[in-house]
Amino acid sequence: SRNAIAKYLWCQLITLFVLLLLQTGQSFLPPAQSVASHLRPTQALISPTFTTPIKLKMTAAADTIRSELLSIIGKNPEGHKDEAVRTAFASKLGEYSNAEGADPNDVIFAIGKTVFGVDLPDAKKAKTNGSSSKPAEELPIVDFDYMKEFMKEVFLSYGVTPERAEICSDVLIEADKRGIDSHGLGRLKPIYCDRMDDGILWPEKPIDVITESETTALVDGNLGLGLYIGPHCMQMAIDKAKKYGVGFVACRNSTHYGIAGYYATMATDQGCIGFTGTNARPSIAPTFGVEPMMGTNPLVFGLPSTDDFPFVIDCATSVNQRGKIEKYAREGVDTPAGAVIDDQGIERTDTEGILRDMVLGKCALTPVGGAGDKMGGYKGFGWAATVELLCTALQSGPWGEDICGVDRATGKPKPMPLGHFFLAIDIEKICPLDTFKKNTGEFLKALRESKKAPTGPGRIWTAGEPENDARISRTSQGGMKVVAPLQKNMIDLRNSRPGLKEKYPKLPFE
C-alpha cells in the first residue's frame, strides 16, 4: 500500500540519519528531532539534556567494534525484527561496552535499547564525568592448561580417581575451548560439585555392563559422573565399530555428561561417524502444550572431513537450553523472546524469573521451531521425543518428573538418573576414509562458497566451524575470559575443598 511504502522509505531515511550521526563521533541527538521520536514516538532514545556534542576518545579496539555495530545497523534496516540480527547486535554491543575508552553516553547504547531491545546493566557501562570516561575493567584471561588442572584438582578433592578426573576436566575444558561457555567452567560448581555436595551425584561409581553383544551393549552408570561415563561408553561403541563396522551403546543411571559434541568428536578422531544423544530434566513443552515434559535432548552427529575441523552438529532440540539461560543470568541480560513459555501460555524474557519458575515447573522451553506450528515447532517436538525414547525405552529408564531433580513435596534435591546413547560407524568398513573425508570436505566447501545474503555477515559457517573459530581466537588470546560469577565459584571451591588452598593460594585474577 501507499502508506506501507511511505513507512519503508521513512525507515530508510531514519537509518541513514542514524549512520551519519554516529559516523560524526557524536553521542547526542537534538531533543526535538530524536531518532526515537520517529521509530517509537512514546520513547525517547536518550535524555534531552544531551544537547552538546561529546567527542569520543576511544582506543582502536573500541573504534573497530563500534564500526562493526554501525555495519550491523547499516546492513539490516529491518534488523530489529530479526532475532539473529538482534542477538548479533546485543553480543557486539556488550563487547563494545567493555572495551577500553568506550563512551557510556554514546548514542549507540540508546539505539541498542530502543531499537534492538538491548538494555545493558549499568554495571557493564563505564562511568563518565563530563566528556571523559573510565575504561571498563578487562576480564581476566586464564590459560586453558591452568583451568583444566584446576578443575581436575577439584574432582580429585571429591575422591574421583586421577584417570577419571583427567577425563572429566578434559570434557569441561573442551567446551570452553569451543566457545560453549554454558557447558564448561560454568557447569563445574552448580552441576557437578553442588550435586555431589547434595548427595544426588556420586564422584566414584563402577560402570556395569548389563547386556552385551558384538555390536551392542547396555551399561549402568550407577549415578556416577556422566563426564567419565560418557567417554567410556563412546569408546566402547567405537571399539565395537572398529571390529564389526557398527557399535551402539545405551546407558542408564548416568548423570549430566557435558557437551554432546565431545563424543561425536571422539568418533571422528578415530575415523568413525559419531551419533549421540541424552535426555535431561524436563524442560521442553510439547507443541500446543505448556507443561515441561522432555529434556533439551541434544541430537548430535559428527563426520570427519578434509577441513581442519570435523563436521559436528551439537545443539539442543529446544530453541534455547537451560545452560544458555543460566549464562544470560550471569551476564544480567534478558532471554530472547520465543524461547520460553509459561503455564499460562505467555512467552517470557525475564531470565531470573524463568530460572526460578523452571525449577517449580511453571515455565517450559519451546522446541526448535518455537511454540505452536506456524514455524514448524512440531519438528523440534518430534526430535526431542525421539531422543527421549532412545534414552529411556532401551534402558527402561525414568523420564519427566522422575528426573526433575527436585522433590516437589519438600523442595529438596533428588537424583536425576539420565539415559544416553552412542553410535559409531567405522567408515573404512564401507569406503576409504580419505574418500569419505574428500567427499564431505568438497560439499561443505561448496556450502561455504555459495551465494551470500547481501544483508548478512558475508560468510556462511558449517557445523563445527564456529567452535573452531572460537578455539583459534581463544588460543591466540592466551586462554579463556573468566566472568565475575565464575571467579567467585573458583574462589569458593578453592576455599572449601581440602588441599586446594595450598595448591592455589592466589588465583590468576586475585
Side-chain angles (χ1 to χ4, degrees):
S1 69
R2 188 176 303 170
N3 287 338
I5 294 173
K7 183 178 179 182
Y8 174 78
L9 292 174
W10 183 242
C11 286
Q12 301 301 306
L13 179 62
I14 293 305
T15 300
L16 178 61
F17 173 71
V18 171
L19 289 171
L20 289 173
L21 177 66
L22 291 171
Q23 292 290 8
T24 64
Q26 297 176 346
S27 62
F28 76 99
L29 288 175
Q33 298 293 329
S34 72
V35 175
S37 69
H38 298 294
L39 293 177
R40 294 185 183 179
T42 59
Q43 184 177 13
L45 270 173
I46 56 175
S47 170
T49 58
F50 285 82
T51 57
T52 304
I54 301 174
K55 295 294 182 181
L56 301 177
K57 296 179 180 179
M58 62 180 69
T59 62
D63 187 60
T64 298
I65 298 170
R66 191 171 187 273
S67 296
E68 292 171 352
L69 284 163
L70 297 183
S71 178
I72 292 175
I73 296 171
K75 291 180 178 179
N76 303 279
E78 299 287 315
H80 60 288
K81 300 178 181 178
D82 187 324
E83 183 177 348
V85 175
R86 292 198 305 271
T87 301
F89 188 92
S91 175
K92 190 60 63 178
L93 189 63
E95 189 178 341
Y96 177 60
S97 73
N98 286 319
E100 183 178 350
D103 188 342
N105 294 319
D106 191 337
V107 72
I108 206 162
F109 289 113
I111 292 171
K113 179 177 180 179
T114 305
V115 180
F116 289 86
V118 182
D119 189 13
L120 295 175
D122 290 339
K124 285 192 171 185
K125 297 180 183 178
K127 302 299 179 183
T128 185
N129 182 12
S131 62
S132 62
S133 61
K134 181 181 178 181
E137 185 178 350
E138 289 289 330
L139 289 174
I141 295 175
V142 179
D143 178 77
F144 285 129
D145 290 339
Y146 180 98
M147 190 61 74
K148 178 183 176 184
E149 188 64 23
F150 176 84
M151 291 192 284
K152 178 180 178 180
E153 291 292 343
V154 170
F155 286 120
L156 287 172
S157 76
Y158 278 94
V160 180
T161 63
E163 180 182 0
R164 286 179 168 180
E166 173 71 21
I167 294 170
C168 291
S169 59
D170 190 60
V171 177
L172 291 183
I173 201 63
E174 187 61 25
D176 287 314
K177 287 180 179 179
R178 297 184 190 191
I180 309 174
D181 297 331
S182 59
H183 280 60
L185 174 65
R187 290 292 203 191
L188 176 63
K189 185 178 185 300
I191 297 298
Y192 304 105
C193 296
D194 287 356
R195 290 178 183 178
M196 287 188 284
D197 291 339
D198 288 337
I200 62 172
L201 166 61
W202 283 266
E204 190 64 27
K205 285 285 187 176
I207 300 174
D208 297 325
V209 178
I210 306 303
T211 61
E212 185 174 17
S213 72
E214 288 82 359
T215 58
T216 65
L218 171 64
V219 304
D220 193 314
N222 293 298
L223 291 176
L225 279 163
L227 295 173
Y228 64 70
I229 296 171
H232 177 91
C233 291
M234 190 48 154
Q235 191 57 52
M236 195 175 183
I238 292 169
D239 291 343
K240 290 178 178 294
K242 287 296 180 181
K243 190 172 183 180
Y244 299 104
V246 175
F248 180 86
V249 175
C251 177
R252 71 187 188 195
N253 290 324
S254 184
T255 55
H256 195 285
Y257 75 167
I259 55 167
Y262 185 92
Y263 307 105
T265 307
M266 282 181 64
T268 62
D269 285 347
Q270 298 179 64
C272 292
I273 296 169
F275 177 38
T276 184
T278 178
N279 67 345
R281 53 186 170 184
S283 301
I284 299 178
T287 299
F288 300 124
V290 295
E291 181 182 357
M293 294 293 294
M294 301 166 290
T296 48
N297 297 9
L299 189 63
V300 182
F301 293 86
L303 295 83
S305 166
T306 49
D307 289 324
D308 294 334
F309 50 90
F311 178 90
V312 174
I313 177 69
D314 176 6
C315 53
T317 48
S318 55
V319 171
N320 224 324
Q321 34 88 3
R322 189 186 298 258
K324 185 65 68 67
I325 295 175
E326 290 167 353
K327 183 170 180 284
Y328 295 148
R330 291 195 296 269
E331 295 173 346
V333 299
D334 286 344
T335 297
V340 177
I341 191 170
D342 68 15
D343 55 5
Q344 301 302 307
I346 299 171
E347 292 186 2
R348 296 273 293 276
T349 61
D350 55 315
T351 300
E352 295 291 348
I354 288 170
L355 290 173
R356 179 190 66 245
D357 286 347
M358 286 184 74
V359 173
L360 299 174
K362 295 181 179 180
C363 266
L365 301 177
T366 57
V368 168
D373 61 355
K374 289 183 179 179
M375 295 297 291
Y378 58 88
K379 299 176 183 178
F381 170 31
W383 285 121
T386 299
V387 175
E388 197 79 42
L389 287 168
L390 288 172
C391 292
T392 58
L394 291 166
Q395 301 88 337
S396 296
W399 49 271
E401 278 293 297
D402 290 337
I403 56 172
C404 72
V406 178
D407 186 320
R408 301 295 188 196
T410 64
K412 294 182 179 180
K414 69 176 184 179
M416 288 176 280
L418 303 182
H420 318 308
F421 61 88
F422 307 85
L423 174 69
I425 303 171
D426 183 22
I427 295 168
E428 288 281 4
K429 295 292 193 297
I430 302 172
C431 73
L433 179 60
D434 288 343
T435 299
F436 181 91
K437 286 184 173 181
K438 176 176 175 291
N439 293 340
T440 302
E442 287 178 351
F443 173 69
L444 297 176
K445 183 172 182 287
L447 291 177
R448 292 192 291 267
E449 293 180 352
S450 63
K451 186 176 180 180
K452 315 298 187 294
T455 57
R459 179 180 175 186
I460 294 172
W461 288 263
T462 53
E465 191 174 8
E467 292 82 359
N468 187 62
D469 288 351
R471 183 189 302 275
I472 293 171
S473 174
R474 294 185 174 195
T475 300
S476 66
Q477 75 178 8
M480 56 184 286
K481 293 183 178 181
V482 185
V483 297
L486 297 188
Q487 293 176 35
K488 183 179 184 303
N489 283 356
M490 290 180 68
I491 292 171
D492 289 346
L493 288 170
R494 186 269 312 270
N495 292 341
S496 63
R497 299 307 304 162
L500 262 64
K501 202 162 188 178
E502 292 74 23
K503 292 181 179 179
Y504 299 96
K506 187 175 182 180
L507 295 168
F509 42 78
E510 291 184 306

